[in-house]
């Protein structure tokens, strides 16, 4: 409450500098907000000089103080306080404000100093050009201005690199991040910078360079586990499955251990780079995966690569993790690698099926069916009236909510129908054709009822409808195959004809149709259909398939099981028949 006095200001500003640093160091959390203490210090300087600046913003206040206060004794403490102000602005990503402040500091010290030339990194240039004031023995600092300058340079380069990375300017981002990596920082921050360099190189299409940077991150600090997850992602991009699985296994094991308390590699500094760099893109790049996410990735990659035994083990481990309240531990903001839980169950069922554990697959699918039954509405209209006076949502929000609800209902219907489909294949593999027919029929009936109660789908729902159509096709082909096994050839024929109505030109449905006609002794029709389908251009069929979206992983095994296995034998029989028919005609 004492009035400001010029002789006491150097001490007062030094105490302010030290107290702010001690407060920051003691909290050990990222700097946020404004440094009100600095503003009050500047106002007291102006007050002692007989000036006023209450109505000025912080940037304008700094400009006024540095231009009007010329006392030699105040220059060093003001410069130190300016560096501290720059730290606060860097923490808020106000890089332009920092550059402007250091321009003022350099101009105040050397009025004739020129600005950096165009094309140079202005921010880093002005920070590096700032001459650190000599530290007086009578006014000791808890952290020297020289050390603070080094930290500001590193943080500024790091922040610039992140901004360029987010903007997609990868060469510039790479240059800024490399400059940051050569700066003054802890091992923890250095590992983070190398991780960002790896991500930048990966986005530039340089996977080997990315791997080098990510391995550097792990060499500096093996507790930088996000680097390990990025290593796995790069190997996945390169198609090196063994290396990817090895990285994921190491990541899972590391996540399961309690990491030792990370000792700071710069314990004597209260202001550190960690406190200044905390942007959304950095948070995203350094997101720590939950062990269950990594376990799922291991299961999924093994299933895709045909390592069925390993996939089963990982899926069962993952399902056991559900007992630990997985939904509360995994982020629901879309950043998680996990799909919806019913899809994981269906993928697990697919793995169990391929491993020959058909009864277990049936049990897992029953869990999906029972859990989703009550979630599917009896009526799923595509068009709903938006005029609902009692609803306070705007029209666009209401339409979005209705679309979201329809998508959710379609997803539940898809999962339930896929559960029946998998059960059908499992019963078929167990040699229980009647049970298989029942499950295939249930899946087909679900989707038939769905078609009858819905109007044509909007474009936003097209992906979900395409998957439903594929399940319907596979259910009909599967049931037709079982009818053939049971000798019910006419019913099989109807299913294959229906399949071709759903997906004209489908090679599996077409081949089974020909086989059904052949078994019904309608050989002339079979031969005609075979000629029709065999003469259809493979290119046209490929284009037709290319128009659709990729199938969910849990349907891939069903698609493989629906493939016709006797193409060469059937083709030979028909060619023999056609040859004999041609001889009879000529004779």
């Amino acid at each position: 409450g004492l009035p400001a006095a010029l002789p006491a200001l150097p001490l007062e500003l030094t105490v302010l500098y030290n107290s702010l640093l001690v407060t920051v160091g003691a909290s050990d959390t990222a700097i946020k907000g404004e440094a009100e203490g600095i503003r009050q210090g500047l106002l007291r300087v102006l007050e002692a000089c007989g000036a006023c600046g209450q109505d000025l913003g912080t940037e304008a206040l700094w400009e006024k103080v540095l231009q009007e206060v010329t006392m030699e004794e105040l220059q060093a403490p003001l410069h130190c306080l300016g560096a501290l102000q720059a730290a606060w602005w860097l923490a808020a990503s106000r890089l332009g404000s920092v550059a402007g402040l250091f321009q003022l500091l350099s101009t105040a010290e050397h009025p004739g100093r020129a600005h950096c030339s165009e094309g140079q990194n202005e921010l880093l240039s002005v920070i590096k050009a700032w001459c650190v004031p000599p530290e007086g023995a009578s006014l000791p600092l808890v952290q020297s201005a020289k050390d603070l300058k080094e930290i500001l340079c590193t943080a500024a380069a790091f922040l610039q690199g992140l901004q360029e990375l987010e903007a997609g300017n990868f060469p510039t981002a790479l240059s800024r991040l490399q400059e940051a990596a050569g700066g003054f920082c802890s091992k923890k921050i250095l590992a983070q910078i190398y991780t960002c360099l790896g991500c930048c190189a990966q986005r530039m299409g340089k996977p080997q360079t990315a791997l080098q940077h990510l391995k550097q991150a792990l060499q500096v600090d093996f507790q930088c586990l996000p680097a390990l997850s990025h290593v796995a992602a790069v190997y996945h991009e390169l198609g090196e499955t063994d290396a990817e699985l090895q990285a994921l296994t190491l990541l899972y094991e590391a996540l399961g251990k309690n990491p030792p308390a990370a000792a700071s590699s710069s314990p004597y500094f209260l202001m550190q780079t960690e406190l200044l760099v905390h942007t959304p893109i950095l948070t995203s790049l350094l997101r720590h995966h939950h062990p269950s996410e990594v376990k799922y990735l291991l299961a999924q990659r093994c299933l895709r690569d045909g390592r069925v035994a390993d996939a089963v083990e990982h899926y069962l481990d993952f399902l056991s993790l559900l007992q630990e309240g997985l939904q509360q531990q995994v982020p629901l903001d879309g950043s998680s690698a996990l799909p919806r839980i019913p899809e994981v169950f269906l993928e697990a069922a697919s793995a169990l099926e391929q491993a020959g554990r058909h009864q277990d697959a049936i049990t897992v699918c029953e869990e999906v069916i029972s859990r989703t039954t009550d979630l599917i509405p009896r009526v799923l209209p595509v068009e709903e009236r938006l005029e609902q006076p009692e609803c306070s949502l705007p029209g666009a929000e209401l339409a979005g909510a209705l679309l979201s609800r329809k998508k959710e209902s379609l997803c539940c219907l898809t999962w339930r129908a896929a559960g029946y489909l998998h059960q059908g294949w499992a019963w078929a593999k167990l040699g229980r054709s009647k049970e298989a027919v029942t499950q295939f029929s249930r899946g087909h009936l679900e989707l038939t009822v769905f078609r009858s109660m819905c109007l044509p789908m909007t474009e936003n729902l097209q992906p979900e409808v395409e998957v439903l159509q594929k399940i319907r096709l596979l259910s009909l082909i599967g049931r037709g195959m079982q009818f053939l096994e049971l000798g019910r050839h006419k019913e099989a024929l109807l299913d294959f004809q229906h399949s071709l109505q759903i997906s004209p030109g489908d090679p599996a449905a077409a081949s089974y149709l020909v086989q059904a006609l052949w078994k019904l002794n309608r050989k002339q029709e079979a031969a005609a259909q075979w000629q029709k389908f065999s003469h259809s251009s493979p290119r046209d069929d490929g284009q037709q398939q290319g128009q659709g979206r990729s199938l969910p992983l849990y349907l891939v095994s069903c698609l493989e099981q629906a493939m016709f296995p006797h193409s060469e034998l059937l083709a030979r029989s028909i060619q023999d028949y056609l040859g004999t028919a041609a001889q009879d005609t000529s004779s």
Side-chain angles (χ1 to χ4, degrees):
L2 294 174
L6 283 174
L9 278 179
L11 176 60
E12 188 174 328
L13 295 179
T14 303
V15 170
L16 174 61
Y17 173 88
N18 286 339
S19 64
L20 286 171
L21 278 173
V22 169
T23 302
V24 166
S27 66
D28 199 32
T29 57
I31 295 175
K32 294 180 181 177
E34 287 283 349
E36 187 59 29
I38 295 178
R39 178 179 176 81
Q40 293 305 318
L42 295 178
L43 290 174
R44 284 182 64 79
V45 170
L46 288 178
E47 179 188 344
C49 296
C52 182
Q54 290 285 357
D55 298 332
L56 298 176
T58 306
E59 289 185 54
L61 187 59
W62 268 107
E63 185 174 1
K64 183 177 179 67
V65 168
L66 292 174
Q67 287 177 351
E68 296 186 9
V69 178
T70 57
M71 284 183 59
E72 187 66 30
E73 297 83 356
L74 289 178
Q75 294 309 305
L78 279 175
H79 275 244
C80 290
L81 210 56
L84 207 52
Q85 176 69 75
W88 251 266
W89 280 342
L90 278 179
S93 295
R94 293 174 57 181
L95 305 190
S97 299
V98 175
L101 177 57
F102 276 103
Q103 286 278 15
L104 287 171
L105 290 171
S106 297
T107 303
E109 190 172 7
H110 302 283
R113 176 164 291 180
H115 296 296
C116 64
S117 61
E118 188 177 350
Q120 284 184 302
N121 184 346
E122 181 184 5
L123 177 59
L124 289 181
S125 295
V126 294
I127 296 176
K128 289 177 180 179
W130 172 55
C131 291
V132 178
E135 185 176 344
S138 61
L139 298 175
L141 305 176
V142 293
Q143 182 170 343
S144 72
K146 180 182 177 182
D147 292 332
L148 185 54
K149 175 182 176 179
E150 294 294 332
I151 289 167
L152 292 175
C153 283
T154 304
F158 195 4
L159 284 166
Q160 283 186 318
L162 290 170
Q163 286 186 351
E164 298 294 345
L165 181 58
E166 190 169 23
N169 302 324
F170 302 130
T172 307
L174 203 65
S175 173
R176 299 291 184 266
L177 291 170
Q178 285 171 338
E179 190 155 7
F184 184 79
C185 61
S186 65
K187 287 186 176 181
K188 176 183 176 183
I189 285 292
L190 183 57
Q192 292 180 5
I193 294 172
Y194 279 131
T195 301
C196 294
L197 278 165
C199 294
C200 184
Q202 184 183 10
R203 294 182 187 185
M204 293 174 73
K206 299 179 177 180
Q208 296 301 334
T209 305
L211 286 174
Q212 289 177 9
H213 288 308
L214 294 169
K215 288 176 181 177
Q216 282 178 301
L218 292 168
Q219 287 169 357
V220 170
D221 179 14
F222 189 73
Q223 292 304 319
C224 186
L225 298 185
L228 196 52
S229 65
H230 287 297
V231 167
V234 174
Y235 280 129
H236 178 69
E237 183 182 299
L238 291 170
E240 297 184 20
T241 306
D242 288 334
E244 180 192 5
L245 292 176
Q246 184 180 8
L248 288 173
T249 301
L250 285 172
L251 179 58
Y252 182 75
E253 291 173 354
L255 287 170
K257 297 175 182 176
N258 291 322
S264 174
S265 59
S266 52
Y268 301 107
F269 299 113
L270 298 168
M271 180 68 73
Q272 300 182 52
T273 312
E274 289 89 328
L275 306 178
L276 305 182
V277 184
H278 46 89
T279 64
I281 185 173
L282 183 63
T283 303
S284 173
L285 293 175
L286 299 178
R287 188 180 79 82
H288 280 267
H289 288 281
H290 187 270
S292 58
E293 294 178 85
V294 183
K295 178 58 72 173
Y296 170 73
L297 285 174
L298 280 165
Q300 183 204 57
R301 300 296 190 259
C302 287
L303 183 58
R304 284 191 188 279
D305 199 52
R307 307 178 189 216
V308 177
D310 292 335
V312 167
E313 180 183 347
H314 291 310
Y315 274 115
L316 293 180
D317 287 344
F318 175 84
L319 295 182
S320 70
L321 289 172
L322 290 178
Q323 307 302 319
E324 301 175 10
L326 181 63
Q327 290 86 343
Q328 284 74 43
Q329 300 172 32
V330 177
L332 300 177
D333 57 1
S335 62
S336 170
L338 291 177
R340 301 291 295 276
I341 296 301
E343 293 187 20
V344 181
F345 271 77
L346 290 168
E347 289 174 16
S350 175
L352 288 164
E353 226 177 297
Q354 293 176 61
R357 297 172 59 173
H358 306 299
Q359 198 64 55
D360 290 334
I362 291 170
T363 302
V364 170
C365 288
E366 193 58 43
E367 184 74 12
V368 176
I369 293 167
S370 63
R371 294 292 184 93
T372 55
T373 298
D374 296 335
L375 300 177
I376 302 173
R378 289 191 173 190
V379 179
L380 185 62
V382 173
E383 300 296 336
E384 294 191 37
R385 292 173 61 87
L386 295 181
E387 296 84 0
Q388 299 184 22
E390 69 276 9
C391 184
S392 61
L393 286 175
E397 290 185 30
L398 179 58
L402 291 175
L403 179 63
S404 177
R405 196 170 72 197
K406 291 171 195 172
K407 280 191 174 184
E408 185 66 11
S409 298
L410 281 174
C411 285
C412 291
L413 186 62
T414 300
W415 299 328
R416 182 176 164 87
Y420 285 131
L421 177 64
H422 275 288
Q423 286 185 328
W425 289 118
W427 283 120
K429 288 296 177 72
L430 288 169
R432 307 272 289 275
S433 293
K434 290 183 179 179
E435 287 86 347
V437 166
T438 299
Q439 298 311 101
F440 284 132
S441 298
R442 284 177 175 172
H444 177 249
L445 180 62
E446 290 266 330
L447 302 177
T448 303
V449 172
F450 156 73
R451 281 192 72 225
S452 67
M453 69 184 182
C454 286
L455 297 172
M457 282 288 151
T458 63
E459 186 176 347
N460 288 330
L461 298 174
Q462 193 61 32
E464 288 78 8
V465 175
E466 285 185 7
V467 173
L468 284 170
Q469 287 289 75
K470 182 61 74 171
I471 293 174
R472 189 161 168 248
L473 171 70
L474 294 172
S475 296
L476 283 168
I477 293 176
R479 188 173 70 176
M481 290 168 62
Q482 296 312 301
F483 281 146
L484 288 177
E485 289 287 329
L486 294 168
R488 296 159 64 175
H489 300 146
K490 288 185 178 180
E491 292 166 281
L493 179 63
L494 289 174
D495 276 346
F496 299 137
Q497 288 172 334
H498 196 178
S499 299
L500 288 171
Q501 290 175 4
I502 295 171
S503 180
D506 182 84
S511 298
Y512 278 114
L513 174 70
V514 171
Q515 186 184 44
L517 288 168
W518 192 263
K519 287 182 177 290
L520 286 167
N521 205 30
R522 293 162 60 174
K523 296 186 176 181
Q524 189 172 356
E525 290 180 64
Q529 289 291 341
W530 178 81
Q531 287 179 313
K532 174 184 173 182
F533 293 121
S534 61
H535 290 153
S536 65
S537 170
R539 180 183 170 190
D540 293 342
D541 181 60
Q543 287 177 340
Q544 185 182 18
Q545 289 181 353
Q547 291 172 359
R549 288 139 174 106
S550 59
L551 281 179
L553 180 58
Y554 59 80
L555 285 182
V556 172
S557 64
C558 297
L559 192 65
E560 292 171 351
Q561 291 180 87
M563 291 175 65
F564 187 71
H566 310 300
S567 298
E568 292 183 7
L569 181 62
L570 181 62
R572 198 178 306 119
S573 299
I574 291 175
Q575 286 170 344
D576 290 345
Y577 168 78
L578 290 172
T580 303
Q583 288 177 1
D584 292 344
T585 303
S586 61
S587 61

